[in-house]
């Protein structure tokens, strides 16, 4: 059916599934999250970021329970990256995160996407599967954003924890990017 009402399994191309609608709402929340941070309403931005994380878990659970679709498999990581990258850039712009860290996070993602596009262009098939270090990096990146929003939103003072997490995110971001490059060059 053209409206996406019928789902035939994980290879469905349906758009209007419950997980996809939740993911689309998460994408729609990105501009609001950026606006809240720019307004310095970090406590509300924290709750929105937390709601986005919960919605990600819910749409993933629903997809695994039979509502998966090809479109959802594309939209979900786009929603995650859109929110995470926009938060790093915006938090750096308002002075809550070091600008060099935002640049590093964005650069790593550009290297990964650029590498996939370049390899595809020359005819090398690339399986898009997150590495363990990449999953660990994502957890650290999410934790840092949530912690900064929480601490800054409620005017708490825990600079040593934020500084340590900044270092961990930087190291894991470099390690994750290098691991992808290594994996792709080792195959050639």
């Amino acid at each position: 059916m053209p409206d996406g009402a019928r789902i035939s399994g994980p290879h469905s191309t349906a758009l209007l599934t419950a997980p996809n609608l939740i993911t689309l709402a998460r994408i729609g929340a990105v501009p609001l999250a950026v606006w809240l941070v720019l307004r310095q309403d970090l406590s509300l931005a924290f709750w929105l970021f937390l709601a986005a994380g919960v919605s990600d878990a819910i749409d993933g659970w629903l997809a695994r329970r039979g509502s998966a679709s090809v479109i959802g498999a594309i939209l979900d990581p786009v929603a995650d990256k859109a929110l995470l990258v926009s938060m790093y850039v915006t938090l750096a712009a308002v002075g809550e995160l070091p600008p060099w860290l935002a640049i590093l996070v964005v650069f790593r993602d550009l290297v990964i996407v650029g590498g996939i596009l370049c390899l595809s262009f020359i005819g090398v098939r690339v399986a898009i599967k997150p590495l363990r270090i990449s999953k660990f990096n994502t957890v650290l990146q999410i934790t840092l954003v949530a912690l900064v929003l929480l601490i800054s939103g409620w005017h708490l003072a825990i600079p040593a924890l934020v500084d340590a997490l900044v270092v961990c995110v930087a190291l894991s971001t470099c390690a994750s990017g290098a691991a992808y490059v290594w994996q792709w060059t080792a195959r050639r």
Side-chain angles (χ1 to χ4, degrees), residues 140-186:
L140 288 176
Q141 287 181 358
I142 291 168
T143 302
L144 179 58
V145 169
L147 184 66
V148 166
L149 291 172
L150 178 69
I151 288 171
S152 298
W154 279 273
H155 308 291
L156 306 173
I158 316 172
L161 180 58
V162 172
D163 291 345
L165 202 47
V166 163
V167 170
C168 290
V169 167
L171 293 173
S172 67
T173 299
C174 290
S176 174
Y180 279 110
V181 171
W182 177 262
Q183 180 185 41
W184 296 333
T185 56

Side-chain angles (χ1 to χ4, degrees), residues 82-165:
L83 182 60
L84 206 51
V85 167
S86 67
M87 285 293 90
Y88 270 85
V89 170
T90 309
L91 286 169
V94 298
E96 296 294 336
L97 283 175
W100 62 264
L101 184 63
I103 292 167
L104 184 64
V105 167
V106 172
F107 181 71
R108 173 210 169 254
D109 288 345
L110 289 174
V111 166
I112 291 170
V113 171
I116 291 170
L117 291 174
C118 287
L119 289 171
S120 296
F121 182 73
I122 63 171
V124 176
R125 195 173 172 116
V126 179
I128 303 173
K129 181 181 170 197
L131 303 174
R132 283 185 192 180
I133 184 64
S134 180
K135 290 179 182 183
F136 179 67
N137 175 247
T138 300
V139 169
L140 288 176
Q141 287 181 358
I142 291 168
T143 302
L144 179 58
V145 169
L147 184 66
V148 166
L149 291 172
L150 178 69
I151 288 171
S152 298
W154 279 273
H155 308 291
L156 306 173
I158 316 172
L161 180 58
V162 172
D163 291 345
L165 202 47

